[in-house]
Each structure stands twice: as structure tokens, then as C-alpha cells.
Amino acid sequence: MSTSAASDPGARTRGRPRDPALRERILDAAATLAMTAGIELGFERIAQEAGASRTTLYRWWDSPQELLLDAMLERTRWSLDHDSEGTAAARLRAQVIDAVEILSAPDTGRPLRALAAGALTNEKVRASFIEHWLEPRRAVAATILEDGMITGEFRQDLDVQAVIDALFSPIYHRLLLTRMPLGRNFGETLWNLVEPGLSPS
Amino acid sequence: MSTSAASDPGARTRGRPRDPALRERILDAAATLAMTAGIELGFERIAQEAGASRTTLYRWWDSPQELLLDAMLERTRWSLDHDSEGTAAARLRAQVIDAVEILSAPDTGRPLRALAAGALTNEKVRASFIEHWLEPRRAVAATILEDGMITGEFRQDLDVQAVIDALFSPIYHRLLLTRMPLGRNFGETLWNLVEPGLSPS
Amino acid sequence: MSTSAASDPGARTRGRPRDPALRERILDAAATLAMTAGIELGFERIAQEAGASRTTLYRWWDSPQELLLDAMLERTRWSLDHDSEGTAAARLRAQVIDAVEILSAPDTGRPLRALAAGALTNEKVRASFIEHWLEPRRAVAATILEDGMITGEFRQDLDVQAVIDALFSPIYHRLLLTRMPLGRNFGETLWNLVEPGLSPS
Amino acid sequence: MSTSAASDPGARTRGRPRDPALRERILDAAATLAMTAGIELGFERIAQEAGASRTTLYRWWDSPQELLLDAMLERTRWSLDHDSEGTAAARLRAQVIDAVEILSAPDTGRPLRALAAGALTNEKVRASFIEHWLEPRRAVAATILEDGMITGEFRQDLDVQAVIDALFSPIYHRLLLTRMPLGRNFGETLWNLVEPGLSPS
DNA sequence: TTCTAAGCGAGACGGTACGTCCCGTCTTGAC
DNA sequence: GTCAAGACGGGACGTACCGTCTCGCTTAGAA
């Protein structure tokens, strides 16, 4: 149910059609609540905030966090598109810096905390979160890394996943747990630290 | 109240003294539940498991997660002691490998997930978790790094906190979110990746 | 909420309609418990006895005693109807004897004790108890008394409320506090005692 | 334990003697609380108010209400002494008027409500209440009535207990349940109403 | 003086009921 | 078929007292 945003356009169904505006209101409400209020996200509150019925939420989503994930996915298009020009190093560096920038913004970072909390609590949420949020972004980085390995810009024997972990997980770590400053330069610091390990010989 | 494990030895108080065996039973119950069952940790279940009264738990802890943190702190002494011999690099490398080892063990990793979930939900839990779990371990690594910087083994201009993030947060990331394999070699891979960024020029 | 037994017949409301059978089961449970067990009446036990959820009781009543009052009001129609034939004296006398009879029956008297205990503890219960239980019955007696005063059967200067007190409060007193025998003749004794004070000159 | 105010004077016991001042403070606290606050009387609050330990209260009384009864008995000596001069009618009339006066005073009436509530809830309290409070006062009235019956001032066939009920229970009824005005004249009204039923033929 | 019994305060502990919150399911009527 | 409204069972929460207990300190008479 969740994250199946599209209702197949050709599907001519009987009965009252789903209200698209309502869906938007619900997603908005979830995003707003996740940003302003704390972590406590429940169908009850979202429904109230959206002026919708709780029943409706249950019809379309299995948990508030999956709902929130839908909201986040529609509202944050970050770093799924990227330049294909320049060196692999430059492109990867830009990715890291972008990530810091976006995750430090409250309207992305805050809901992400709620999402992460959900992922830790609920296995299904975790799977969705990885599949629809983390993995697509890791894939972009992976592509760049593999490009660089092919062109010889990077070492041939890199463990791609480990590199991605080293570059990006510190950002999530600071956002979610330590709350250390996520300033502009943190991305650069991180890159400078890991970059030497990428170059050949 | 929580994490104030210290039993003031000279404190001759009036009133019935606290039952130490009971405390142990409770901490055990929490640790066990956190390892076997899922994340859902509640005073109700812990009390039942420990054969204690729910009221008693409320008397001593503010939340199940703080209770669990106490249990973890008493049961996991990991990496607060470390050799002071060998090169800084070797000692730091050992730290990373140790961390992987211990966090991948179920009786540490599982409760840690519950703890992290609590930290994301409850600000007070987060503070305690950082103060009593994360920070002491980061401090050890920080000391080694600073040693290496003084002896010239590492670059002078390292951002110590960022280095620690790069080395350790990937482990937590895999444990908590991606659940990618946390095998023996992951520590080494990580170290090999970051190490070049530590050496001077 | 309480004692608003009225089901507005025309009220076509949206939402799932209230289950009338459930309501009956709850009232029955309360009445039964109040009769058999002691005074300790709690939502917990009533819910269990009725096979209902505690939440449901809270939805409809503010206290177990108000619930019980509802039950009593629906089950005891005593002395709200009365003959309008015969002398005022005869009718009043019948009222008193009736009262003794009914209050000495366990299925009315026992719950009434619980109700009175509630009325002493909880101001709201007291108000309801007076409004819905005591007052309507006093009103009947008052009407008879006033009839008699108009026709000259009784003295003109009677303090109606005081007469009612003298005639009926001894019954409650015996039921609730002294537990002295509430036999058939007690009503007659009482009547014979007070009656001389009612006649003119 | 309760209502055994006197420590047998000859009893020379070992050990620390009971602190009489403390006992007074506790009784005072109970009386004060019963007068000002509502009905909710508990050992917890009394102990706090009296600056005593809860344990101490449990040592000496079985329930807060029994404690309160002790307090009332020591503080209210009402109508246990009475004139033995004048006609029986005059003396009985004075008794009724006195009762109204005293029960309408807040420092007697309010605690009495708490006491009555306890009597309805707890069988032991009820027994004590009747034995030490109600019965002694009824006995005085009974004596007067019997005097009058012997002298021929009253009818020979009176049901003494019923007469007492008719005269006094309305006062308790108003105090405890209806809260109708308990003014000066209520006693007289009551007397005037019942008195005709007492005189011979 | 020392011993011993009791009074007393402090506080731990198990336990019960409370009233609330949110959850997930259901049943209805309206669109 | 969608949606709002709302009843219902259920579980956990955090709190308030309750009654019992185990301490240590104190106060006395008895040995």
C-alpha cells in the first residue's frame, strides 16, 4: 500500500474516486507534524491535523511512518539527479556536501529522525526506508564510484559499500544521535579525510 | 536517578535499604528482553520478567530505556580499557576492529538497537546514551588520535571528531539501519579506507 | 452523560451506533455486583463482569456510582405511580409502607447503600442521586400532602419537607447506618407516630 | 485498637512510652483534614499533615476513619450530659434542638460526613460509629422517653427506637444527603410534628 | 551501666485501581 | 468505492494509595 503513490491512470474503477487533494493534505500534515512536533507520530494526530478521518489513513497506509515516508519521498528529490560532468571525485564530493546541506535543514532532518525512529521500531518501515530512501541515494554514489574505478581515477579494489558508509553514515550519525554540528564544512572535512583512501597507489 | 549506579558507601541512611539482588534481577530482565524480544520495551514486561513490582521500576528509573542503559553499562565494559603500547595507528585500528566485533554480537547489538530507538524518541534517553555510552568510547579514540598527532604519527590538522565519526559511525549505521554484514573484515576495510587520510603529507 | 437515558428517537447520527445490548449488560453487571459483592464498585470489575472494555465505561459514565444510579433508575420504578384514590392519609400511609418494603429488599437496598456511599464521597453523584432518585419520590409525597392540606384533611401550616423527612428518612437511616430491622410493621409504626401531627387542631 | 483511648494507667510497660503529644497532633490533623478537605481521608495525608510517620498511624489504628472517630469522640462531648430537670417533653425537645445545632456546625458536621462515608464502606467502621457515636446519644433519648412513659407523660405503647428515628434521623439525612437547610427552627418543626404522637390518647 | 522492649521516622517493596491515550477494527450513513 | 463519524476491545502508561516490611535511632524501665 505505502509508497505506491501512483494509482494506475488507466484504471477506471467503479465507486467514488479517491480524493487527491485529501491525500495531499494528509501528507502535508504528516510532514508538518514530523517537522514541528517531536517524534510522536500517530494516525490520530495526523488525521486531526489534516481534517481527515482516521479510517481513511488506515485504508491507505499501514503505519504513520510509512505515510511519512511517502510524504518525504514526494517532497525531497535531493541528489537523485546529479551532474555527469567533471571528475568522479568532484561529483562524489558534491554529493557529500549536498547531503550535509540537505540533512541539516530542519524540514528534512526532523522528519528523518521520526523516520529513523520508525525504522528502528518497525521492521517493515525499516525495509521501506532503506528501499526507497537510502538505497536510491547510495546507488547514485555507487555509480560514481564505479565510474571512477573504471576510468582509473580511483583504486580498483575499493569496497564500494564501505566507502559509501564512511562518507555518508557520519552525517546520519550526527543528525540522529550525537547532534554534533552539521555545518557546511563538515562535508568537506569528511571528504578530505576519506579521499586519500580512494586514490590509487 | 538513572545511571547513578554509585552506592555511596558511607551513606548510612535510615529506612529500609534497597534490595541489591532485586536491582540485579531487574537489570537482567531488561537485558534479556532487549536481546530476545524486539524493541518494544516496557516497564510492564520488565517488571513481570523480573518478578518485581512495576511501581518499583518507576521509583528508580524514568523510562525503560534508561533502565536498559544502566544494564548495558554494567554488563559491557568494552573498549574502555585499551593497551597503551604500540603505535597510535595500531591501537586505533584495534579499537575499530573491536567495536565491530562487539557490536555484531547479539547480546550487545540487539539491546543497542532498543537503546538507539529510545534515544531517537526520548531526548533524555539520548542525552544519557551519549554521555554514558558513546562519549566515553569516543574519548578513548580521541586520546589515541591526539597521541598520534603529538608524536607526529598523524597529521597535525586532523578534525578528531570527524575522524571518529568516519571510523565508527559506519558500524552503528549498519547495525541500526542497513543491517549490512558486520563481519570481521569490515573493521579492517574501514580502517584501510580512512588510514591514508591520517598520515602526514 | 450519565442518567441521560433518553435515546433521542429522531437522532439519525453518523458513525457506528451505540450497542444497546452492551449497555444493558453493563447496567446488569453493576446492579448484580452492587447487590452481591460489597460496596467496592469499580469500573474494572464492572467491565470484567459485563464482558465490556473499561474504556467503554469511561466513555459513557464518569463514575461507577453514576452508572449504578442509571441501572437503579431503569430497574426500580417504585412509587412513582400511585393511586390517586382514597384519602390523602391513606395514600401517604401506603407510600411509607411501600418504601419500607422496597428498601428492605436486597436487590434495591444493597445497591442503594453503594449509591449512598458514592453520594457521600462524590459531590456529582450526590447531586444526581438527589435529582433522579430522592427528589422524584419526595415529590409524590409532597403532592399528596398538599392535596390533603387543600382539602382540609391535613393542617394548613405543615412544613411539607419536614414531614417527608420525618416519614422517610428513618427508613434510609436504618438501611444505611443502624441496620435495625426494616420489617413490615416499621412503616406502620412510623406512620402512626407522625400522623397525629398532621391532623388539624 | 481504635477508640481505646485510655492506656490503662496501671500498665507499667517497658520500652519507650507512647508520645501523647504526637497522638494529639494526629487526631488534630485528622479532624482538620476532615473539616476542610473533602471526604478523601487517608493515612498518607493525615501522617503528612501531622508530621508523623505513616507507620505510626498503622500501629495504632486500622483505618483513617477509626482514627477520625477517635478524634471526634474526644472533641465532641455533645448531649451525653443533659439536664434531668423539667418535663420529659422539654428535655427531649432540647435534645433535638441541640442535635440540629451541633450537627449544623461545620467542625462537627463535615467530619461526620467523612465518618458516615466510612461507615457505609467499612463494616468495622460502621460498628464503631454506631457503638461509640450513635448509640450513646440514642441511649440518652431513650432514657428520657422511658422516663416519660413511666410518669405517664407519654403513651405507654411507644416504640422507643422508632420515636428516636423519627426525631433524629431527619437531621442526619439533611446533613449527609439532601443538604437541605439545618437551621435553628428545623429542630422545633421536627419536634412539633412528632410530639402529638407521643401524648396519650 | 548495661540490657531490652517499645515508640518512632524513613523509606523500600508488592500490589490494585485509577483515568488517559492511542491503537486497530468495526459498523453505520452520506456522497 | 470513498469518506466521516464514532463505537468498541485492548494494552500500556504514569500516578496514588495501600499495607507490609526492614532498617536505625531514641526513650525508657529492668537487670
Side-chain angles (χ1 to χ4, degrees):
Chain A
M1 245 169 218
S2 167
T3 67
S4 67
S7 49
D8 314 317
R12 272 278 132 270
T13 51
R14 304 215 300 175
R16 177 174 173 176
R18 181 170 182 186
D19 181 349
L22 178 61
R23 183 171 187 276
E24 285 310 309
R25 264 191 294 142
I26 292 171
L27 294 182
D28 279 349
T32 303
L33 281 175
M35 187 174 49
T36 58
I39 297 295
E40 295 77 18
L41 206 54
F43 277 143
E44 191 98 40
R45 305 188 52 130
I46 299 176
Q48 200 166 0
E49 175 82 8
S53 167
R54 210 153 48 89
T55 324
T56 303
L57 305 203
Y58 276 105
R59 197 193 324 279
W60 298 107
W61 293 276
D62 283 346
S63 72
Q65 286 80 19
E66 291 171 276
L67 195 170
L68 177 59
L69 179 55
D70 272 9
M72 294 288 290
L73 291 177
E74 292 200 5
R75 278 152 187 70
T76 313
R77 291 259 157 256
W78 152 59
S79 84
L80 293 180
D81 321 309
H82 70 287
D83 276 337
S84 52
E85 305 189 0
T87 63
R91 282 150 56 198
L92 194 54
R93 180 175 175 277
Q95 279 274 108
V96 174
I97 290 173
D98 254 35
V100 172
E101 181 117 9
I102 287 168
L103 291 183
S104 65
D107 61 344
T108 312
R110 301 278 203 98
L112 214 62
R113 279 182 204 150
L115 228 44
L120 282 177
T121 304
N122 180 328
E123 187 59 24
K124 200 178 162 203
V125 171
R126 195 181 67 83
S128 277
F129 177 62
I130 292 176
E131 181 185 352
H132 295 101
W133 180 271
L134 286 185
E135 200 40 61
R137 284 157 181 88
R138 293 179 73 100
V140 173
T143 304
I144 301 178
L145 272 166
E146 282 154 6
D147 275 4
M149 286 165 73
I150 291 171
T151 62
E153 193 182 335
F154 294 150
R155 304 173 48 165
Q156 307 292 326
D157 60 345
L158 288 180
D159 180 331
V160 173
Q161 296 304 322
V163 173
I164 295 175
D165 282 341
L167 282 174
F168 295 92
S169 64
I171 309 174
Y172 287 97
H173 200 68
R174 290 202 165 184
L175 173 69
L176 300 177
L177 290 176
T178 66
R179 301 265 179 99
M180 282 172 155
L182 263 182
R184 291 233 49 170
N185 43 332
F186 183 60
E188 295 186 34
T189 306
L190 220 45
W191 171 254
N192 292 333
L193 192 60
V194 176
E195 188 269 335
L198 306 182
S199 328
S201 70
Chain B
M1 241 167 219
S2 167
T3 67
S4 68
S7 50
D8 313 316
R12 269 280 129 272
T13 51
R14 304 225 290 180
R16 178 174 174 175
R18 183 170 181 185
D19 180 350
L22 177 62
R23 184 171 186 275
E24 284 311 308
R25 265 190 292 141
I26 293 171
L27 294 182
D28 279 348
T32 304
L33 282 174
M35 188 175 49
T36 57
I39 296 295
E40 295 78 19
L41 205 54
F43 276 142
E44 191 95 43
R45 303 212 30 184
I46 299 176
Q48 203 163 359
E49 175 82 9
S53 168
R54 204 155 52 88
T55 325
T56 301
L57 305 202
Y58 278 105
R59 203 192 320 280
W60 297 106
W61 293 277
D62 284 345
S63 70
Q65 287 79 19
E66 292 172 274
L67 196 171
L68 177 59
L69 179 54
D70 272 9
M72 295 289 289
L73 291 177
E74 292 199 4
R75 279 153 186 68
T76 313
R77 291 258 157 258
W78 151 59
S79 83
L80 292 179
D81 321 307
H82 68 289
D83 277 337
S84 52
E85 304 190 0
T87 63
R91 283 150 56 199
L92 194 53
R93 180 175 174 279
Q95 280 273 106
V96 175
I97 290 173
D98 254 34
V100 173
E101 181 118 9
I102 288 167
L103 292 183
S104 64
D107 60 345
T108 312
R110 299 280 204 97
L112 214 61
R113 279 184 205 148
L115 227 43
L120 283 177
T121 304
N122 179 330
E123 186 58 25
K124 203 179 158 201
V125 171
R126 196 182 64 83
S128 277
F129 178 62
I130 292 178
E131 182 186 350
H132 297 101
W133 180 271
L134 285 185
E135 201 38 64
R137 285 157 179 87
R138 293 178 72 100
V140 174
T143 303
I144 302 176
L145 274 165
E146 281 155 7
D147 276 4
M149 287 165 72
I150 290 171
T151 62
E153 194 181 335
F154 294 150
R155 304 175 45 165
Q156 309 290 327
D157 61 345
L158 288 179
D159 181 330
V160 173
Q161 297 302 323
V163 174
I164 296 175
D165 282 342
L167 283 174
F168 295 92
S169 63
I171 310 176
Y172 288 97
H173 200 67
R174 289 201 165 184
L175 173 69
L176 301 176
L177 290 175
T178 66
R179 300 264 178 98
M180 283 172 151
L182 262 182
R184 288 235 50 168
N185 44 330
F186 182 60
E188 295 186 35
T189 307
L190 219 44
W191 170 253
N192 292 334
L193 191 60
V194 175
E195 188 270 335
L198 306 182
S199 329
S201 67
Chain C
M1 240 166 225
S2 169
T3 67
S4 67
S7 50
D8 315 315
R12 267 285 129 265
T13 52
R14 304 223 289 178
R16 177 174 175 174
R18 182 169 182 184
D19 180 350
L22 177 62
R23 182 171 186 277
E24 284 311 308
R25 265 188 293 141
I26 292 171
L27 294 181
D28 279 347
T32 304
L33 281 175
M35 187 176 47
T36 57
I39 297 294
E40 295 79 17
L41 204 54
F43 276 142
E44 190 95 44
R45 303 212 29 183
I46 301 176
Q48 203 164 359
E49 176 82 10
S53 165
R54 204 154 51 88
T55 323
T56 301
L57 305 202
Y58 278 105
R59 200 191 325 281
W60 296 107
W61 294 277
D62 283 347
S63 69
Q65 287 80 19
E66 291 173 273
L67 196 170
L68 177 58
L69 179 54
D70 272 9
M72 294 290 289
L73 291 177
E74 291 201 4
R75 278 153 187 68
T76 314
R77 291 260 156 257
W78 151 58
S79 83
L80 292 180
D81 322 309
H82 68 286
D83 276 337
S84 52
E85 304 190 358
T87 64
R91 283 149 57 199
L92 195 53
R93 180 175 174 282
Q95 279 274 110
V96 174
I97 290 173
D98 254 34
V100 172
E101 181 117 11
I102 287 168
L103 292 184
S104 64
D107 61 346
T108 312
R110 301 278 205 97
L112 216 61
R113 280 183 204 150
L115 227 43
L120 283 177
T121 303
N122 180 329
E123 186 58 25
K124 203 178 158 203
V125 171
R126 195 182 64 85
S128 277
F129 177 63
I130 292 177
E131 181 186 352
H132 296 102
W133 181 272
L134 286 184
E135 200 40 61
R137 285 159 180 85
R138 293 178 72 98
V140 174
T143 303
I144 301 175
L145 273 165
E146 281 155 8
D147 276 5
M149 287 164 72
I150 290 172
T151 63
E153 192 181 337
F154 294 148
R155 305 173 45 165
Q156 309 289 329
D157 60 348
L158 289 179
D159 180 330
V160 174
Q161 296 305 322
V163 174
I164 296 175
D165 282 341
L167 283 174
F168 294 93
S169 63
I171 311 175
Y172 287 97
H173 200 69
R174 291 203 165 184
L175 173 69
L176 300 177
L177 289 176
T178 66
R179 303 265 177 96
M180 283 172 151
L182 263 182
R184 288 235 49 169
N185 43 332
F186 183 59
E188 295 187 35
T189 307
L190 219 44
W191 171 253
N192 292 334
L193 192 60
V194 175
E195 188 270 333
L198 306 182
S199 329
S201 70
Chain D
M1 247 171 214
S2 167
T3 66
S4 68
S7 48
D8 313 317
R12 271 280 133 267
T13 52
R14 303 218 300 172
R16 177 174 173 176
R18 183 171 182 182
D19 180 349
L22 178 61
R23 183 172 186 274
E24 284 311 308
R25 264 189 295 140
I26 292 172
L27 294 181
D28 279 348
T32 304
L33 281 175
M35 187 176 46
T36 57
I39 297 296
E40 296 77 17
L41 206 53
F43 277 144
E44 191 97 41
R45 304 188 53 130
I46 299 176
Q48 202 167 358
E49 175 82 8
S53 166
R54 206 154 48 89
T55 323
T56 303
L57 305 202
Y58 277 106
R59 197 192 324 279
W60 299 107
W61 293 277
D62 283 349
S63 72
Q65 286 80 18
E66 290 172 275
L67 196 171
L68 178 59
L69 179 55
D70 272 9
M72 294 290 289
L73 290 177
E74 292 199 5
R75 279 154 187 68
T76 313
R77 291 258 156 258
W78 152 60
S79 86
L80 292 180
D81 322 308
H82 69 286
D83 277 337
S84 52
E85 306 190 358
T87 63
R91 282 151 55 201
L92 195 52
R93 181 175 175 279
Q95 279 274 105
V96 174
I97 290 174
D98 254 34
V100 172
E101 182 118 10
I102 287 168
L103 291 184
S104 64
D107 59 346
T108 311
R110 301 279 203 97
L112 215 62
R113 280 182 204 150
L115 228 44
L120 284 176
T121 304
N122 180 327
E123 187 58 25
K124 200 177 160 200
V125 171
R126 195 182 67 85
S128 277
F129 178 63
I130 292 177
E131 181 185 352
H132 296 101
W133 180 271
L134 285 184
E135 200 40 62
R137 285 158 180 86
R138 293 179 72 101
V140 174
T143 304
I144 302 176
L145 272 164
E146 282 154 7
D147 276 5
M149 287 165 72
I150 291 170
T151 62
E153 192 181 337
F154 294 149
R155 305 173 46 166
Q156 309 289 328
D157 62 346
L158 288 180
D159 180 330
V160 174
Q161 297 303 322
V163 175
I164 295 175
D165 282 342
L167 283 174
F168 294 93
S169 63
I171 310 175
Y172 287 96
H173 200 68
R174 290 203 166 186
L175 172 69
L176 300 177
L177 289 176
T178 66
R179 303 263 177 97
M180 282 172 151
L182 263 181
R184 290 235 49 168
N185 44 331
F186 182 59
E188 295 187 34
T189 308
L190 220 45
W191 172 254
N192 292 334
L193 192 59
V194 176
E195 187 270 335
L198 306 182
S199 329
S201 61

